[in-house]
Amino acid sequence: MKVISLPVQLDSSRCDKAIRASFLHFNDDPDKSLDSWEYIEDGLLILKLGHVTALGKADDWFDFLPDGVEFHDFTGKLIMPGFIDTHTHYPQTDMIASHGAQLLEWLEKYTFPTEAKFSDINVANATAEFFCDELLRNGTTTSAVFATIHPESVDAIFGAAQKRDMRIISGKVMMDQNAPDFLCDTAETSYEDSAKLIEKWHGNGRALYAVTPRFVPTSSVDQLRMANRLRHEYKALYLQTHVAENTDEVAWVAELFPDRRSYLDVYEHYGLVGERSIYAHCIHLDSTDRKLIADRGASMAFCPTSNLFLGSGLFDLDSALFNNIKVGVATDVGGGTSFSILQTLNEAYKVSQMSGQTLTSMKAFYLATLGGAKALSLDHKLGNFELDKEADFVVLDLESTPLMERRMDNSDSIQDKLFALMMLGDDRAVHATFVMGVCRFKEGRSTCQD
Ligand code: GUN
Ligand code: ZN
């Protein structure tokens, strides 16, 4: 793998921080390239103003660090680019792990009543603060997040992220039918509220706005048109939504739109499949749908804990790879049952087993880092430790439990260690999380500078 070439002059113009640890990162999909990852057992990451200046062997550079550099010694720990969660819902934090329903009933019984509480800005702010801390506690530094229909809920999540300098993609949910009245906007108000939020937040610091129609059943044709209009009126917006998650949902969409070839074709018909469009679930698709997603440069969010918890089905990762589709992993809290990307990879592996597929540890961690960055069209800014990338990273303790300690002792390759990490690890394996080169979580504390 070609990474940053040496030598660099390690003077203070290029270096204000240095971090020593083991490092792993990717420059390509391990299923496509034999030279897709770099592992440095004793490495040094050099930063300047929150961006990567260099990554190399500690032996080569350690003695040449300029005076005054802030130094963090994580020898014995493994650093990876911050995890990327390509689809989740912060307002569903407090209803995670609610028993016994599949998607449509679950929405009625748990989701809509919970989201109704976000008309109260205090609820929104408190939940957003907790949610961002929980992301960091789990090593997640970038996330595409649903808010609710309430514009203030978007202010809350972007505000909480901005305090921590985190890169968050979010947007106001658009929903004007087939939901309780207290959770419905209209096509016009959803357009107006979204436009105001876009002007306030899109590109404000690290915030990026996503036009967010919840899913086809809860948007009128007029509202789908408004979503398309927003995408044309403002540059480089995202679109995030759900598609083909559950068979009853798919049947409902077929009833609502009998003239459309498929669920995805409804979005396509209204111009909503394109670059920076993130489609969550993508389970009950056919080959024409997959080809369309690939041709349009849209992305899939693979939500294994949610797909299993809600009994929705098995995501076909190999078909996505075969079609060259950008895929990221996603927690989909609160349909998903964990904030941990490690636990998400654990379940992703089991989904692949159930489908007769093989998810290697390298592929899994690619999906959680550079693959996720590509799925969010952010790979020019983050996802690995290439020169000038934003320095978001997670410091992992591979021996965070007695069992992991024993298992790691019994391991002789980095691939095997990573596999044990994704199967046995959870938030306890996250020793620290850095955002733009600043330590925002360490050893159980939510904010730190050391
Ligand atoms: N489809 C429409 N809304 C939702 C949601 O909130 N969660 C999940 N998992 N699927 C959805
Ligand atoms: Zn979702």
Side-chain angles (χ1 to χ4, degrees):
M1 167 178 180
K2 276 188 219 68
V3 278
I4 303 141
S5 51
L6 298 179
V8 291
Q9 278 310 113
L10 282 185
D11 58 50
S12 53
S13 71
R14 314 274 310 255
C15 174
D16 57 20
K17 263 179 213 181
I19 294 105
R20 188 170 189 167
S22 302
F23 289 87
L24 176 77
H25 67 149
F26 297 85
N27 72 350
D28 203 351
D29 183 338
D31 281 341
K32 290 192 200 151
S33 158
L34 291 175
D35 190 24
S36 61
W37 52 274
E38 178 183 46
Y39 174 63
I40 306 176
E41 182 138 11
D42 183 14
L44 203 60
L45 179 66
I46 312 285
L47 309 180
K48 177 76 186 183
L49 297 176
H51 291 77
V52 174
T53 308
L55 173 65
K57 288 191 181 147
D59 275 355
D60 293 345
W61 292 349
F62 191 68
D63 292 339
F64 303 102
L65 289 177
D67 290 343
V69 163
E70 184 181 314
F71 178 63
H72 298 257
D73 189 0
F74 292 116
T75 302
K77 305 278 189 291
L78 174 66
I79 291 185
M80 277 192 228
F83 295 142
I84 297 178
D85 186 346
T86 58
H87 174 87
T88 186
H89 301 249
Y90 94 84
Q92 295 177 18
T93 300
D94 292 350
M95 51 165 279
I96 192 169
S98 293
H99 176 258
Q102 295 217 344
L103 177 67
L104 299 177
E105 188 195 347
W106 175 84
L107 286 172
E108 294 281 344
K109 194 168 163 184
Y110 300 114
T111 312
F112 293 155
T114 304
E115 293 194 4
K117 296 180 190 157
F118 285 70
S119 58
D120 179 345
I121 183 67
N122 295 319
V123 171
N125 281 331
T127 313
E129 293 286 330
F130 178 87
F131 176 89
C132 287
D133 282 342
E134 197 63 14
L135 291 185
L136 295 173
R137 229 167 57 72
N138 282 282
T140 300
T141 49
T142 299
S143 184
V145 187
F146 271 51
T148 63
I149 65 151
H150 313 97
E152 302 78 11
S153 73
V154 179
D155 291 332
I157 186 66
F158 279 138
Q162 203 161 62
K163 275 192 207 166
R164 296 157 178 82
D165 211 8
M166 292 169 75
R167 196 173 269 292
I168 293 287
I169 298 171
S170 191
K172 185 203 111 63
V173 170
M174 303 169 78
M175 177 155 69
D176 67 347
Q177 63 177 28
N178 292 321
D181 284 350
F182 54 81
L183 263 193
C184 281
D185 51 20
T186 68
E188 289 72 29
T189 60
S190 69
Y191 170 83
E192 285 156 14
D193 288 344
S194 300
K196 280 188 209 141
L197 289 163
I198 291 163
E199 279 164 25
K200 180 168 178 187
W201 287 112
H202 190 53
N204 178 346
R206 299 183 91 196
L208 294 165
Y209 195 88
V211 176
T212 307
R214 175 168 223 119
F215 68 155
V216 162
T218 48
S219 284
S220 65
V221 161
D222 282 351
Q223 189 166 62
L224 294 173
R225 290 203 175 104
M226 287 299 184
N228 185 20
R229 185 171 154 197
L230 287 164
R231 296 247 294 163
H232 281 98
E233 288 180 358
Y234 295 93
K235 278 213 181 80
L237 288 183
Y238 285 81
L239 177 124
Q240 57 181 354
T241 190
H242 301 89
V243 73
E245 173 177 4
N246 165 289
T247 49
D248 290 344
E249 171 209 20
V250 173
W252 191 13
V253 172
E255 266 172 44
L256 292 168
F257 289 90
D259 295 340
R260 301 270 59 93
R261 200 198 66 79
S262 69
Y263 189 161
L264 184 74
D265 189 44
V266 179
Y267 292 121
E268 165 68 359
H269 186 73
Y270 293 100
L272 299 176
V273 187
E275 282 279 333
R276 293 183 302 281
S277 308
I278 308 152
Y279 281 91
H281 303 290
C282 297
I283 298 170
H284 308 287
L285 299 179
D286 64 14
S287 55
T288 309
D289 292 327
R290 289 199 175 84
K291 192 166 177 326
L292 180 73
I293 291 187
D295 289 349
R296 293 275 181 275
S299 305
M300 292 180 172
F302 174 16
C303 313
T305 74
S306 167
N307 295 343
L308 295 174
F309 181 70
L310 294 175
S312 301
L314 303 176
F315 179 81
D316 188 344
L317 186 58
D318 278 5
S319 283
L321 176 73
F322 176 77
N323 284 285
N324 241 334
I325 293 169
K326 294 181 276 185
V327 179
V329 287
T331 61
D332 194 28
V333 165
T337 50
S338 176
F339 276 78
S340 169
I341 289 290
L342 297 174
Q343 283 298 292
T344 304
L345 297 179
N346 167 323
E347 306 257 298
Y349 176 77
K350 293 169 187 167
V351 167
S352 73
Q353 285 285 70
M354 290 301 293
S355 315
Q357 302 182 4
T358 304
L359 178 61
T360 64
S361 57
M362 284 299 173
K363 172 77 176 209
F365 282 98
Y366 165 79
L367 290 174
T369 57
L370 186 63
K374 284 183 193 283
L376 300 184
S377 302
L378 289 172
D379 49 309
H380 58 300
K381 289 189 181 292
L382 42 84
N384 62 15
F385 296 121
E386 280 171 356
L387 181 64
D388 289 337
K389 292 252 174 123
E390 296 169 353
D392 291 349
F393 57 89
V394 53
V395 185
L396 293 157
D397 178 0
L398 274 55
E399 303 186 343
S400 60
T401 67
L403 177 62
M404 285 174 74
E405 213 177 321
R406 285 180 78 91
R407 176 63 178 83
M408 293 302 165
D409 267 356
N410 188 35
S411 175
D412 53 12
S413 71
I414 182 64
Q415 289 93 332
D416 183 53
K417 284 187 197 315
L418 289 174
F419 187 66
L421 171 66
M422 72 189 235
M423 298 314 294
L424 301 174
D426 52 28
D427 53 329
R428 290 169 293 180
V430 175
H431 179 76
T433 306
F434 281 65
V435 180
M436 294 297 283
V438 175
C439 183
R440 296 284 177 182
F441 170 84
K442 190 174 169 198
E443 292 171 303
R445 281 187 299 126
S446 71
T447 304
C448 66
Q449 276 281 11
D450 58 5

